[in-house]
Amino acid sequence: MGSHKLNAFVYAGIVAIGGFIFGLDAAVISGTVKYLTQEFALSEMQIGFVVSAPGFGVLPALPLAGYLSNKLGRKKALQLVALLYLVSAVCSTFAPTYLTLVLARFLGGMAFCSLSLATMYIGEIAPPKWRGKLVSINQINIVIGLSAAYFVNYLIIDAVGVNSDWITSLGIKENTWRWMLGSEIIPAFLWLILLFFIPESPSWLVFNNQIKAAKKTLRKIMPNTEVDEHVAGMVVSLATSEKNQSVLDQFKEIVSKPMRLTLIIGVTVALVQQITGINAILFYAPTVFEQLGIGTDAAFIQAIWVGVTGLFFTILAIVFIDRIGRRPMIVWGTLWLVLSLGICSYGFKTARYKLVEEDVVTLTEFKNKDLLMLIVGKEFKSDAVFKKELKLLLGEKKARIHASNLIQKAVKLNTTLILFGILSFIAAFHFSIGPVLWVLFSEIFPISLRGIAIPSFAFITSITSYFVQLFFPWQLANMGASSVFLFYAVLGLIGFVILFRFLPETKNLSIEEIQKKLIKKT
């Protein structure tokens, strides 16, 4: 590997660490749900608020990200984001109250705009022939971060089970959730330090008329003979872009008749990516697996498989996207999502919940066993009905604390079928609409509108994700797992029909060719 290529990969690799921290931050909360519920006596909606707080934090941050990156430079904007991650991780770890924890996680959510900033920086620092591979590093790192979060959570849970002296001395057993959230501190700090060693984006330097500085940076990532020509091209592009329309005019063009098909596709893909429930699974993985009655420890082990499956199929998607094409991966991948959700819904629909006397006797940590004897031998046809009965008998606080253990004792279902459905769903998402959405967004919008269109449709994705995370605990408690998965499947099926009807293939087409294709179909 030549020095220019090596430098480009090093700079891209450093910036892409932000993707790892995003994945870690997003998924590590999944292991804390049970402990936060107990420590702060939280309701389902309160759990939803603390888990979804970053999803809310990114909403005001998205419009600011582009402004700050233009005003301060890509490098300083990324450093600010890394600092937000670090402060959020420290404050979350030592949060004394529920409110301070929510606020700390909201602050971390503002750093989630790192994804768009990282993509922007890598796209500008990478030589054209390496751009695709370098940008994909960020996507892979996100899934590695998700996997790392599940693995870290499992290691901490396993350590608590050992109950050795060093576990006691470190306070891991008493502060399990704090150790989980604290796992983000070290990588966030390292990322902040490493960002001081990357150069400023040459595109931003040219934009600010710092031509000499831009050439100095470009000489690190491309042969000296190509630098002048590359800078000249950026100057011409900048001169052209200055003739662009105002922000309001660009919004008007996005919703105009010639862009109608693009609008339909963009909104549908943005909604389907999140409304089918991916972040309900990723951010509540152990909680979801506990509904299978496999117990807390086994639930954390199964969560690791979610991360591993996602990583494997993300790599496959990156390898095959230019061979298979965007349309078949998104359209048939969405159908795969729907079928997987249907399997999960059916599996939970056939579940039955019944406590027997022997189950109640073995509950050594439960004091009021006489209350549970009132429902011994009674069969319940859904987890929601079973949980409601527990709340009536035990009260909401005790019912939430003991629900996982009682479900483990009472449930009879096809565990293998549901596990297959969940992992199939994860595979379908990461092979299709998960990573391919961002590729599609970079292709279906004309260059003149991309700066406004992509953040706007990313906003739709983010706000949909926020509401999915917020309401999932309430849905699970009141609708039951079967109905929740069916709800996601129906929404995904609607998306599939729309995309099957309207989404064209964009593989191997220029931006101009794609625009002609979309306008012709309008």
Side-chain angles (χ1 to χ4, degrees), residues 28 31-32 35-36 39-40 89-98 100-101 156 171-185:
V28 76
T32 69
Y35 301 97
L36 293 175
E39 180 155 341
F40 297 118
V90 172
C91 293
S92 296
T93 302
F94 297 100
T97 65
Y98 168 73
T100 53
L101 178 59
I156 293 173
I172 296 179
K173 187 173 184 179
E174 294 76 16
N175 300 287
T176 304
W177 67 269
R178 297 184 186 275
W179 280 89
M180 290 177 177
L181 297 182
S183 64
E184 187 184 337
I185 295 176

PDB file of all heavy atoms in Angstrom, residues 28 31-32 35-36 39-40 89-98 100-101 156 171-185:
ATOM      1  N   VAL A  28     -25.573  -0.067  24.099  1.00  0.00           N
ATOM      2  CA  VAL A  28     -25.179  -0.438  25.463  1.00  0.00           C
ATOM      3  C   VAL A  28     -26.325  -0.213  26.444  1.00  0.00           C
ATOM      4  O   VAL A  28     -26.422  -0.898  27.471  1.00  0.00           O
ATOM      5  CB  VAL A  28     -23.912   0.348  25.886  1.00  0.00           C
ATOM      6  CG1 VAL A  28     -24.238   1.801  26.232  1.00  0.00           C
ATOM      7  CG2 VAL A  28     -23.203  -0.350  27.043  1.00  0.00           C
ATOM      8  N   GLY A  31     -28.705  -3.194  27.887  1.00  0.00           N
ATOM      9  CA  GLY A  31     -28.422  -4.029  29.052  1.00  0.00           C
ATOM     10  C   GLY A  31     -28.807  -3.404  30.374  1.00  0.00           C
ATOM     11  O   GLY A  31     -28.837  -4.079  31.405  1.00  0.00           O
ATOM     12  N   THR A  32     -29.110  -2.106  30.356  1.00  0.00           N
ATOM     13  CA  THR A  32     -29.357  -1.394  31.613  1.00  0.00           C
ATOM     14  C   THR A  32     -30.832  -1.316  31.986  1.00  0.00           C
ATOM     15  O   THR A  32     -31.156  -0.889  33.091  1.00  0.00           O
ATOM     16  CB  THR A  32     -28.817   0.050  31.524  1.00  0.00           C
ATOM     17  OG1 THR A  32     -29.621   0.809  30.601  1.00  0.00           O
ATOM     18  CG2 THR A  32     -27.365   0.067  31.047  1.00  0.00           C
ATOM     19  N   TYR A  35     -32.028  -2.865  35.288  1.00  0.00           N
ATOM     20  CA  TYR A  35     -31.413  -2.250  36.473  1.00  0.00           C
ATOM     21  C   TYR A  35     -31.922  -0.835  36.701  1.00  0.00           C
ATOM     22  O   TYR A  35     -32.138  -0.414  37.837  1.00  0.00           O
ATOM     23  CB  TYR A  35     -29.891  -2.253  36.321  1.00  0.00           C
ATOM     24  CG  TYR A  35     -29.340  -3.648  36.144  1.00  0.00           C
ATOM     25  CD1 TYR A  35     -29.066  -4.155  34.879  1.00  0.00           C
ATOM     26  CD2 TYR A  35     -29.133  -4.475  37.248  1.00  0.00           C
ATOM     27  CE1 TYR A  35     -28.594  -5.447  34.708  1.00  0.00           C
ATOM     28  CE2 TYR A  35     -28.659  -5.762  37.097  1.00  0.00           C
ATOM     29  CZ  TYR A  35     -28.393  -6.250  35.820  1.00  0.00           C
ATOM     30  OH  TYR A  35     -27.937  -7.522  35.652  1.00  0.00           O
ATOM     31  N   LEU A  36     -32.126  -0.083  35.625  1.00  0.00           N
ATOM     32  CA  LEU A  36     -32.674   1.267  35.756  1.00  0.00           C
ATOM     33  C   LEU A  36     -34.104   1.219  36.271  1.00  0.00           C
ATOM     34  O   LEU A  36     -34.511   2.049  37.092  1.00  0.00           O
ATOM     35  CB  LEU A  36     -32.640   1.986  34.405  1.00  0.00           C
ATOM     36  CG  LEU A  36     -31.255   2.318  33.833  1.00  0.00           C
ATOM     37  CD1 LEU A  36     -31.386   2.919  32.440  1.00  0.00           C
ATOM     38  CD2 LEU A  36     -30.508   3.270  34.743  1.00  0.00           C
ATOM     39  N   GLU A  39     -33.776   0.564  40.059  1.00  0.00           N
ATOM     40  CA  GLU A  39     -33.159   1.629  40.857  1.00  0.00           C
ATOM     41  C   GLU A  39     -34.022   2.874  40.939  1.00  0.00           C
ATOM     42  O   GLU A  39     -34.118   3.499  41.994  1.00  0.00           O
ATOM     43  CB  GLU A  39     -31.783   1.991  40.299  1.00  0.00           C
ATOM     44  CG  GLU A  39     -31.087   3.085  41.081  1.00  0.00           C
ATOM     45  CD  GLU A  39     -29.584   3.042  40.957  1.00  0.00           C
ATOM     46  OE1 GLU A  39     -29.038   1.992  40.584  1.00  0.00           O
ATOM     47  OE2 GLU A  39     -28.945   4.063  41.261  1.00  0.00           O
ATOM     48  N   PHE A  40     -34.656   3.251  39.824  1.00  0.00           N
ATOM     49  CA  PHE A  40     -35.434   4.489  39.801  1.00  0.00           C
ATOM     50  C   PHE A  40     -36.942   4.253  39.785  1.00  0.00           C
ATOM     51  O   PHE A  40     -37.710   5.209  39.652  1.00  0.00           O
ATOM     52  CB  PHE A  40     -35.039   5.324  38.578  1.00  0.00           C
ATOM     53  CG  PHE A  40     -33.600   5.769  38.589  1.00  0.00           C
ATOM     54  CD1 PHE A  40     -32.732   5.362  37.594  1.00  0.00           C
ATOM     55  CD2 PHE A  40     -33.105   6.577  39.604  1.00  0.00           C
ATOM     56  CE1 PHE A  40     -31.403   5.766  37.584  1.00  0.00           C
ATOM     57  CE2 PHE A  40     -31.776   6.993  39.616  1.00  0.00           C
ATOM     58  CZ  PHE A  40     -30.921   6.580  38.605  1.00  0.00           C
ATOM     59  N   ALA A  89     -21.003  10.362  28.188  1.00  0.00           N
ATOM     60  CA  ALA A  89     -20.666   9.072  28.796  1.00  0.00           C
ATOM     61  C   ALA A  89     -20.342   9.226  30.276  1.00  0.00           C
ATOM     62  O   ALA A  89     -20.794   8.435  31.119  1.00  0.00           O
ATOM     63  CB  ALA A  89     -19.488   8.444  28.057  1.00  0.00           C
ATOM     64  N   VAL A  90     -19.564  10.258  30.620  1.00  0.00           N
ATOM     65  CA  VAL A  90     -19.194  10.492  32.021  1.00  0.00           C
ATOM     66  C   VAL A  90     -20.431  10.847  32.843  1.00  0.00           C
ATOM     67  O   VAL A  90     -20.658  10.290  33.932  1.00  0.00           O
ATOM     68  CB  VAL A  90     -18.136  11.610  32.124  1.00  0.00           C
ATOM     69  CG1 VAL A  90     -17.899  11.996  33.585  1.00  0.00           C
ATOM     70  CG2 VAL A  90     -16.829  11.180  31.480  1.00  0.00           C
ATOM     71  N   CYS A  91     -21.247  11.765  32.325  1.00  0.00           N
ATOM     72  CA  CYS A  91     -22.437  12.191  33.067  1.00  0.00           C
ATOM     73  C   CYS A  91     -23.464  11.068  33.198  1.00  0.00           C
ATOM     74  O   CYS A  91     -24.134  10.953  34.240  1.00  0.00           O
ATOM     75  CB  CYS A  91     -23.067  13.404  32.375  1.00  0.00           C
ATOM     76  SG  CYS A  91     -22.054  14.898  32.446  1.00  0.00           S
ATOM     77  N   SER A  92     -23.590  10.240  32.175  1.00  0.00           N
ATOM     78  CA  SER A  92     -24.523   9.105  32.252  1.00  0.00           C
ATOM     79  C   SER A  92     -24.064   8.098  33.296  1.00  0.00           C
ATOM     80  O   SER A  92     -24.869   7.563  34.069  1.00  0.00           O
ATOM     81  CB  SER A  92     -24.626   8.410  30.887  1.00  0.00           C
ATOM     82  OG  SER A  92     -25.177   9.265  29.913  1.00  0.00           O
ATOM     83  N   THR A  93     -22.767   7.842  33.328  1.00  0.00           N
ATOM     84  CA  THR A  93     -22.217   6.861  34.260  1.00  0.00           C
ATOM     85  C   THR A  93     -22.437   7.268  35.704  1.00  0.00           C
ATOM     86  O   THR A  93     -22.744   6.432  36.563  1.00  0.00           O
ATOM     87  CB  THR A  93     -20.709   6.677  34.009  1.00  0.00           C
ATOM     88  OG1 THR A  93     -20.505   6.257  32.655  1.00  0.00           O
ATOM     89  CG2 THR A  93     -20.115   5.634  34.948  1.00  0.00           C
ATOM     90  N   PHE A  94     -22.293   8.560  35.992  1.00  0.00           N
ATOM     91  CA  PHE A  94     -22.388   9.028  37.383  1.00  0.00           C
ATOM     92  C   PHE A  94     -23.689   9.769  37.669  1.00  0.00           C
ATOM     93  O   PHE A  94     -23.792  10.470  38.674  1.00  0.00           O
ATOM     94  CB  PHE A  94     -21.192   9.943  37.701  1.00  0.00           C
ATOM     95  CG  PHE A  94     -19.862   9.242  37.615  1.00  0.00           C
ATOM     96  CD1 PHE A  94     -19.061   9.371  36.495  1.00  0.00           C
ATOM     97  CD2 PHE A  94     -19.429   8.426  38.652  1.00  0.00           C
ATOM     98  CE1 PHE A  94     -17.844   8.716  36.402  1.00  0.00           C
ATOM     99  CE2 PHE A  94     -18.211   7.772  38.581  1.00  0.00           C
ATOM    100  CZ  PHE A  94     -17.415   7.912  37.448  1.00  0.00           C
ATOM    101  N   ALA A  95     -24.679   9.578  36.800  1.00  0.00           N
ATOM    102  CA  ALA A  95     -25.961  10.280  36.977  1.00  0.00           C
ATOM    103  C   ALA A  95     -26.601   9.917  38.314  1.00  0.00           C
ATOM    104  O   ALA A  95     -26.853   8.738  38.587  1.00  0.00           O
ATOM    105  CB  ALA A  95     -26.903   9.931  35.830  1.00  0.00           C
ATOM    106  N   PRO A  96     -26.900  10.920  39.164  1.00  0.00           N
ATOM    107  CA  PRO A  96     -27.498  10.612  40.477  1.00  0.00           C
ATOM    108  C   PRO A  96     -29.003  10.403  40.427  1.00  0.00           C
ATOM    109  O   PRO A  96     -29.576   9.796  41.330  1.00  0.00           O
ATOM    110  CB  PRO A  96     -27.155  11.869  41.300  1.00  0.00           C
ATOM    111  CG  PRO A  96     -27.073  12.974  40.279  1.00  0.00           C
ATOM    112  CD  PRO A  96     -26.551  12.344  39.015  1.00  0.00           C
ATOM    113  N   THR A  97     -29.664  10.917  39.388  1.00  0.00           N
ATOM    114  CA  THR A  97     -31.118  10.815  39.298  1.00  0.00           C
ATOM    115  C   THR A  97     -31.535  10.411  37.887  1.00  0.00           C
ATOM    116  O   THR A  97     -30.742  10.476  36.946  1.00  0.00           O
ATOM    117  CB  THR A  97     -31.797  12.160  39.635  1.00  0.00           C
ATOM    118  OG1 THR A  97     -31.440  13.126  38.627  1.00  0.00           O
ATOM    119  CG2 THR A  97     -31.368  12.673  41.006  1.00  0.00           C
ATOM    120  N   TYR A  98     -32.783  10.026  37.776  1.00  0.00           N
ATOM    121  CA  TYR A  98     -33.343   9.656  36.469  1.00  0.00           C
ATOM    122  C   TYR A  98     -33.287  10.828  35.501  1.00  0.00           C
ATOM    123  O   TYR A  98     -32.905  10.677  34.342  1.00  0.00           O
ATOM    124  CB  TYR A  98     -34.782   9.184  36.658  1.00  0.00           C
ATOM    125  CG  TYR A  98     -35.572   9.052  35.379  1.00  0.00           C
ATOM    126  CD1 TYR A  98     -35.327   8.017  34.484  1.00  0.00           C
ATOM    127  CD2 TYR A  98     -36.573   9.989  35.051  1.00  0.00           C
ATOM    128  CE1 TYR A  98     -36.053   7.901  33.298  1.00  0.00           C
ATOM    129  CE2 TYR A  98     -37.301   9.874  33.881  1.00  0.00           C
ATOM    130  CZ  TYR A  98     -37.032   8.831  33.007  1.00  0.00           C
ATOM    131  OH  TYR A  98     -37.739   8.727  31.841  1.00  0.00           O
ATOM    132  N   THR A 100     -31.260  13.473  35.407  1.00  0.00           N
ATOM    133  CA  THR A 100     -29.905  13.783  34.941  1.00  0.00           C
ATOM    134  C   THR A 100     -29.424  12.734  33.941  1.00  0.00           C
ATOM    135  O   THR A 100     -28.679  13.058  33.017  1.00  0.00           O
ATOM    136  CB  THR A 100     -28.916  13.862  36.117  1.00  0.00           C
ATOM    137  OG1 THR A 100     -29.010  12.671  36.908  1.00  0.00           O
ATOM    138  CG2 THR A 100     -29.203  15.066  36.994  1.00  0.00           C
ATOM    139  N   LEU A 101     -29.857  11.493  34.113  1.00  0.00           N
ATOM    140  CA  LEU A 101     -29.494  10.448  33.154  1.00  0.00           C
ATOM    141  C   LEU A 101     -30.127  10.727  31.791  1.00  0.00           C
ATOM    142  O   LEU A 101     -29.472  10.599  30.752  1.00  0.00           O
ATOM    143  CB  LEU A 101     -29.943   9.081  33.678  1.00  0.00           C
ATOM    144  CG  LEU A 101     -29.676   7.879  32.754  1.00  0.00           C
ATOM    145  CD1 LEU A 101     -28.183   7.740  32.463  1.00  0.00           C
ATOM    146  CD2 LEU A 101     -30.226   6.598  33.368  1.00  0.00           C
ATOM    147  N   ILE A 156     -20.076  -7.975  31.750  1.00  0.00           N
ATOM    148  CA  ILE A 156     -20.385  -7.381  33.052  1.00  0.00           C
ATOM    149  C   ILE A 156     -21.393  -8.237  33.815  1.00  0.00           C
ATOM    150  O   ILE A 156     -21.250  -8.482  35.016  1.00  0.00           O
ATOM    151  CB  ILE A 156     -20.900  -5.942  32.866  1.00  0.00           C
ATOM    152  CG1 ILE A 156     -19.771  -5.048  32.344  1.00  0.00           C
ATOM    153  CG2 ILE A 156     -21.458  -5.386  34.178  1.00  0.00           C
ATOM    154  CD1 ILE A 156     -20.207  -3.651  31.965  1.00  0.00           C
ATOM    155  N   GLY A 171     -17.435  -2.539  43.033  1.00  0.00           N
ATOM    156  CA  GLY A 171     -18.837  -2.139  43.082  1.00  0.00           C
ATOM    157  C   GLY A 171     -19.618  -2.461  41.827  1.00  0.00           C
ATOM    158  O   GLY A 171     -20.615  -1.799  41.524  1.00  0.00           O
ATOM    159  N   ILE A 172     -19.176  -3.483  41.104  1.00  0.00           N
ATOM    160  CA  ILE A 172     -19.843  -3.816  39.838  1.00  0.00           C
ATOM    161  C   ILE A 172     -21.252  -4.350  40.071  1.00  0.00           C
ATOM    162  O   ILE A 172     -22.184  -4.040  39.321  1.00  0.00           O
ATOM    163  CB  ILE A 172     -18.999  -4.826  39.038  1.00  0.00           C
ATOM    164  CG1 ILE A 172     -17.663  -4.191  38.636  1.00  0.00           C
ATOM    165  CG2 ILE A 172     -19.741  -5.297  37.789  1.00  0.00           C
ATOM    166  CD1 ILE A 172     -16.745  -5.105  37.874  1.00  0.00           C
ATOM    167  N   LYS A 173     -21.413  -5.132  41.126  1.00  0.00           N
ATOM    168  CA  LYS A 173     -22.723  -5.725  41.394  1.00  0.00           C
ATOM    169  C   LYS A 173     -23.746  -4.657  41.766  1.00  0.00           C
ATOM    170  O   LYS A 173     -24.905  -4.709  41.339  1.00  0.00           O
ATOM    171  CB  LYS A 173     -22.617  -6.761  42.514  1.00  0.00           C
ATOM    172  CG  LYS A 173     -23.900  -7.549  42.746  1.00  0.00           C
ATOM    173  CD  LYS A 173     -23.684  -8.678  43.736  1.00  0.00           C
ATOM    174  CE  LYS A 173     -24.947  -9.513  43.887  1.00  0.00           C
ATOM    175  NZ  LYS A 173     -24.748 -10.640  44.845  1.00  0.00           N
ATOM    176  N   GLU A 174     -23.321  -3.673  42.568  1.00  0.00           N
ATOM    177  CA  GLU A 174     -24.244  -2.625  43.002  1.00  0.00           C
ATOM    178  C   GLU A 174     -24.460  -1.562  41.923  1.00  0.00           C
ATOM    179  O   GLU A 174     -25.458  -0.840  41.958  1.00  0.00           O
ATOM    180  CB  GLU A 174     -23.716  -1.935  44.277  1.00  0.00           C
ATOM    181  CG  GLU A 174     -23.675  -2.822  45.515  1.00  0.00           C
ATOM    182  CD  GLU A 174     -22.503  -3.801  45.484  1.00  0.00           C
ATOM    183  OE1 GLU A 174     -21.570  -3.578  44.674  1.00  0.00           O
ATOM    184  OE2 GLU A 174     -22.519  -4.781  46.250  1.00  0.00           O
ATOM    185  N   ASN A 175     -23.519  -1.442  41.013  1.00  0.00           N
ATOM    186  CA  ASN A 175     -23.589  -0.394  39.986  1.00  0.00           C
ATOM    187  C   ASN A 175     -23.457  -0.983  38.582  1.00  0.00           C
ATOM    188  O   ASN A 175     -22.737  -0.444  37.738  1.00  0.00           O
ATOM    189  CB  ASN A 175     -22.479   0.633  40.219  1.00  0.00           C
ATOM    190  CG  ASN A 175     -22.584   1.310  41.565  1.00  0.00           C
ATOM    191  OD1 ASN A 175     -23.448   2.147  41.785  1.00  0.00           O
ATOM    192  ND2 ASN A 175     -21.696   0.942  42.484  1.00  0.00           N
ATOM    193  N   THR A 176     -24.173  -2.069  38.352  1.00  0.00           N
ATOM    194  CA  THR A 176     -24.034  -2.782  37.076  1.00  0.00           C
ATOM    195  C   THR A 176     -24.294  -1.875  35.879  1.00  0.00           C
ATOM    196  O   THR A 176     -23.509  -1.834  34.922  1.00  0.00           O
ATOM    197  CB  THR A 176     -25.010  -3.972  37.024  1.00  0.00           C
ATOM    198  OG1 THR A 176     -24.772  -4.815  38.158  1.00  0.00           O
ATOM    199  CG2 THR A 176     -24.804  -4.778  35.754  1.00  0.00           C
ATOM    200  N   TRP A 177     -25.382  -1.135  35.913  1.00  0.00           N
ATOM    201  CA  TRP A 177     -25.735  -0.292  34.765  1.00  0.00           C
ATOM    202  C   TRP A 177     -24.736   0.841  34.569  1.00  0.00           C
ATOM    203  O   TRP A 177     -24.480   1.277  33.433  1.00  0.00           O
ATOM    204  CB  TRP A 177     -27.149   0.244  34.888  1.00  0.00           C
ATOM    205  CG  TRP A 177     -27.397   1.225  36.010  1.00  0.00           C
ATOM    206  CD1 TRP A 177     -27.809   0.934  37.274  1.00  0.00           C
ATOM    207  CD2 TRP A 177     -27.272   2.654  35.949  1.00  0.00           C
ATOM    208  NE1 TRP A 177     -27.941   2.084  38.016  1.00  0.00           N
ATOM    209  CE2 TRP A 177     -27.626   3.158  37.226  1.00  0.00           C
ATOM    210  CE3 TRP A 177     -26.900   3.551  34.956  1.00  0.00           C
ATOM    211  CZ2 TRP A 177     -27.614   4.527  37.538  1.00  0.00           C
ATOM    212  CZ3 TRP A 177     -26.882   4.916  35.252  1.00  0.00           C
ATOM    213  CH2 TRP A 177     -27.231   5.388  36.528  1.00  0.00           C
ATOM    214  N   ARG A 178     -24.135   1.305  35.650  1.00  0.00           N
ATOM    215  CA  ARG A 178     -23.148   2.391  35.525  1.00  0.00           C
ATOM    216  C   ARG A 178     -21.880   1.892  34.824  1.00  0.00           C
ATOM    217  O   ARG A 178     -21.269   2.620  34.033  1.00  0.00           O
ATOM    218  CB  ARG A 178     -22.810   2.963  36.901  1.00  0.00           C
ATOM    219  CG  ARG A 178     -24.003   3.615  37.605  1.00  0.00           C
ATOM    220  CD  ARG A 178     -23.600   4.249  38.926  1.00  0.00           C
ATOM    221  NE  ARG A 178     -24.765   4.728  39.651  1.00  0.00           N
ATOM    222  CZ  ARG A 178     -25.344   5.923  39.473  1.00  0.00           C
ATOM    223  NH1 ARG A 178     -24.842   6.741  38.565  1.00  0.00           N
ATOM    224  NH2 ARG A 178     -26.392   6.275  40.184  1.00  0.00           N
ATOM    225  N   TRP A 179     -21.472   0.653  35.108  1.00  0.00           N
ATOM    226  CA  TRP A 179     -20.317   0.086  34.427  1.00  0.00           C
ATOM    227  C   TRP A 179     -20.608  -0.114  32.940  1.00  0.00           C
ATOM    228  O   TRP A 179     -19.722   0.056  32.090  1.00  0.00           O
ATOM    229  CB  TRP A 179     -19.914  -1.230  35.086  1.00  0.00           C
ATOM    230  CG  TRP A 179     -19.102  -1.009  36.331  1.00  0.00           C
ATOM    231  CD1 TRP A 179     -19.568  -0.847  37.604  1.00  0.00           C
ATOM    232  CD2 TRP A 179     -17.679  -0.900  36.411  1.00  0.00           C
ATOM    233  NE1 TRP A 179     -18.533  -0.651  38.478  1.00  0.00           N
ATOM    234  CE2 TRP A 179     -17.345  -0.685  37.774  1.00  0.00           C
ATOM    235  CE3 TRP A 179     -16.647  -0.980  35.483  1.00  0.00           C
ATOM    236  CZ2 TRP A 179     -16.036  -0.530  38.209  1.00  0.00           C
ATOM    237  CZ3 TRP A 179     -15.329  -0.829  35.906  1.00  0.00           C
ATOM    238  CH2 TRP A 179     -15.038  -0.609  37.254  1.00  0.00           C
ATOM    239  N   MET A 180     -21.839  -0.499  32.641  1.00  0.00           N
ATOM    240  CA  MET A 180     -22.207  -0.662  31.224  1.00  0.00           C
ATOM    241  C   MET A 180     -22.094   0.671  30.476  1.00  0.00           C
ATOM    242  O   MET A 180     -21.444   0.758  29.428  1.00  0.00           O
ATOM    243  CB  MET A 180     -23.636  -1.205  31.123  1.00  0.00           C
ATOM    244  CG  MET A 180     -23.786  -2.652  31.569  1.00  0.00           C
ATOM    245  SD  MET A 180     -25.512  -3.197  31.511  1.00  0.00           S
ATOM    246  CE  MET A 180     -25.344  -4.918  31.982  1.00  0.00           C
ATOM    247  N   LEU A 181     -22.710   1.710  31.010  1.00  0.00           N
ATOM    248  CA  LEU A 181     -22.663   3.013  30.357  1.00  0.00           C
ATOM    249  C   LEU A 181     -21.249   3.594  30.373  1.00  0.00           C
ATOM    250  O   LEU A 181     -20.843   4.309  29.447  1.00  0.00           O
ATOM    251  CB  LEU A 181     -23.639   3.981  31.039  1.00  0.00           C
ATOM    252  CG  LEU A 181     -25.123   3.612  30.977  1.00  0.00           C
ATOM    253  CD1 LEU A 181     -25.971   4.675  31.656  1.00  0.00           C
ATOM    254  CD2 LEU A 181     -25.574   3.440  29.528  1.00  0.00           C
ATOM    255  N   GLY A 182     -20.482   3.269  31.414  1.00  0.00           N
ATOM    256  CA  GLY A 182     -19.119   3.768  31.518  1.00  0.00           C
ATOM    257  C   GLY A 182     -18.166   3.167  30.505  1.00  0.00           C
ATOM    258  O   GLY A 182     -17.058   3.694  30.291  1.00  0.00           O
ATOM    259  N   SER A 183     -18.562   2.070  29.863  1.00  0.00           N
ATOM    260  CA  SER A 183     -17.692   1.430  28.868  1.00  0.00           C
ATOM    261  C   SER A 183     -17.435   2.340  27.673  1.00  0.00           C
ATOM    262  O   SER A 183     -16.507   2.100  26.890  1.00  0.00           O
ATOM    263  CB  SER A 183     -18.324   0.114  28.392  1.00  0.00           C
ATOM    264  OG  SER A 183     -19.552   0.359  27.707  1.00  0.00           O
ATOM    265  N   GLU A 184     -18.230   3.391  27.528  1.00  0.00           N
ATOM    266  CA  GLU A 184     -18.066   4.310  26.398  1.00  0.00           C
ATOM    267  C   GLU A 184     -16.992   5.366  26.653  1.00  0.00           C
ATOM    268  O   GLU A 184     -16.493   5.999  25.713  1.00  0.00           O
ATOM    269  CB  GLU A 184     -19.403   4.996  26.108  1.00  0.00           C
ATOM    270  CG  GLU A 184     -19.410   5.853  24.857  1.00  0.00           C
ATOM    271  CD  GLU A 184     -20.725   6.574  24.667  1.00  0.00           C
ATOM    272  OE1 GLU A 184     -21.748   6.115  25.217  1.00  0.00           O
ATOM    273  OE2 GLU A 184     -20.728   7.606  23.976  1.00  0.00           O
ATOM    274  N   ILE A 185     -16.610   5.567  27.898  1.00  0.00           N
ATOM    275  CA  ILE A 185     -15.719   6.681  28.251  1.00  0.00           C
ATOM    276  C   ILE A 185     -14.362   6.563  27.571  1.00  0.00           C
ATOM    277  O   ILE A 185     -13.870   7.522  26.950  1.00  0.00           O
ATOM    278  CB  ILE A 185     -15.547   6.774  29.784  1.00  0.00           C
ATOM    279  CG1 ILE A 185     -16.882   7.138  30.438  1.00  0.00           C
ATOM    280  CG2 ILE A 185     -14.474   7.798  30.137  1.00  0.00           C
ATOM    281  CD1 ILE A 185     -16.843   7.155  31.958  1.00  0.00           C
TER     282      ILE A 185
END
